[in-house]
Amino acid sequence: MDTKIYVTYNDIHQAVKRLAERVKESGFEPDVIVAIGSGGFIPARILKTFINRPIFAVGISYYGIDNKPMDVPQKIQWIDEVQQKLTGKKILLIDEVDDTRMTLSYCLEELISHDPDEIAVLVIHNKKKVKGAQFPKEITRYFAAFDVEDRWIRYPWDAEDINTHDDLAASSRS
Ligand code: G4P
Ligand code: MG
């Protein structure tokens, strides 16, 4: 039995819309969106439709550019030239999944070192599991569209055949 969770572009779009509504209802008004690549890029662009703020992209991965696994997250790309623009700002950090929380926490620590006013975290999926790292204490706002079991999630942007992917998503629902 295939226990993977199949997610469509439509699912992502609707989830991001609901998340944006929750952010607005919370009273949090971000100055900038920071997207963690690569999984956070497409959700960030959808988010901009509902919360129209500039997007800064950061690339962080446990896999270096030579695709070798590392012990700590590696910066593939960082916003050095604009980091001073984060000081005193309200940041909305977006990624597709909160899994071990290691990448997210590393990224948050880096962003906090630039003295922003506030940072909120937004993810599509939060995996219910023991996390390998905790959020820094400065993080008081956290929005997850779905809390899911610790299963592998198949995102549409990873699909080599999007029609087959969408069929699998549909049949997993019926
Ligand atoms: P976290 O802080 O967000 O929990 O990230 P963690 O370090 O645990 O995740 C390591 C990598 O594994 C991340 O990708 C994350 O997107 C990916 N990942 C974790 N669970 C799933 C899943 O269920 N499905 C898919 N498709 N990916 C998952 P990355 O190495 O940062 O690269 P990228 O894929 O975002 O480019
Ligand atoms: Mg990712």
Side-chain angles (χ1 to χ4, degrees):
M1 188 185 134
D2 190 352
T3 56
K4 296 191 182 82
I5 301 167
Y6 285 85
V7 184
T8 68
Y9 283 115
N10 198 299
D11 295 332
I12 303 281
H13 203 103
Q14 296 198 47
V16 170
K17 180 177 182 172
R18 286 197 305 274
L19 285 167
E21 284 163 1
R22 284 171 54 193
V23 169
K24 284 180 194 165
E25 283 163 11
S26 79
F28 184 69
E29 294 184 352
D31 299 301
V32 297
I33 295 167
V34 173
I36 304 181
S38 62
F41 289 167
I42 294 172
R45 176 57 189 88
I46 298 170
L47 183 65
K48 187 170 183 282
T49 299
F50 305 105
I51 297 178
N52 191 2
R53 291 291 179 273
I55 300 174
F56 294 140
V58 299
I60 296 178
S61 183
Y62 272 99
Y63 299 89
I65 41 178
D66 56 0
N67 230 13
K68 288 211 190 83
M70 312 279 187
D71 294 335
V72 289
Q74 303 291 311
K75 286 177 181 165
I76 306 292
Q77 176 202 5
W78 192 252
I79 40 182
D80 290 323
E81 67 281 6
V82 289
Q83 65 192 23
Q84 68 275 16
K85 293 186 186 160
L86 301 179
T87 303
K89 291 289 191 328
K90 293 189 196 305
I91 301 172
L92 186 50
L93 182 71
I94 181 165
D95 205 351
E96 88 281 40
V97 59
D98 175 357
D99 179 26
T100 66
R101 211 165 262 185
M102 303 280 275
T103 304
L104 274 167
S105 299
Y106 172 82
C107 186
L108 286 164
E109 297 284 3
E110 292 292 309
L111 291 172
I112 286 166
S113 72
H114 303 306
D115 234 358
D117 180 43
E118 211 179 334
I119 309 181
V121 177
L122 192 153
V123 295
I124 309 292
H125 295 98
N126 170 43
K127 290 196 194 172
K128 293 187 278 182
K129 66 196 286 184
V130 176
K131 303 292 186 181
Q134 300 306 315
F135 289 140
K137 60 179 181 333
E138 290 87 349
I139 306 306
T140 51
R141 296 178 193 267
Y142 175 77
F143 304 92
F146 303 105
D147 291 313
V148 296
E149 302 303 323
D150 188 9
R151 286 154 58 192
W152 190 254
I153 303 160
R154 294 290 311 265
Y155 289 100
W157 44 81
D158 282 324
E160 290 191 7
D161 183 334
I162 192 66
N163 292 325
T164 304
H165 178 95
D166 283 355
D167 287 347
L168 286 165
S171 60
S172 72
R173 252 155 247 195
S174 55

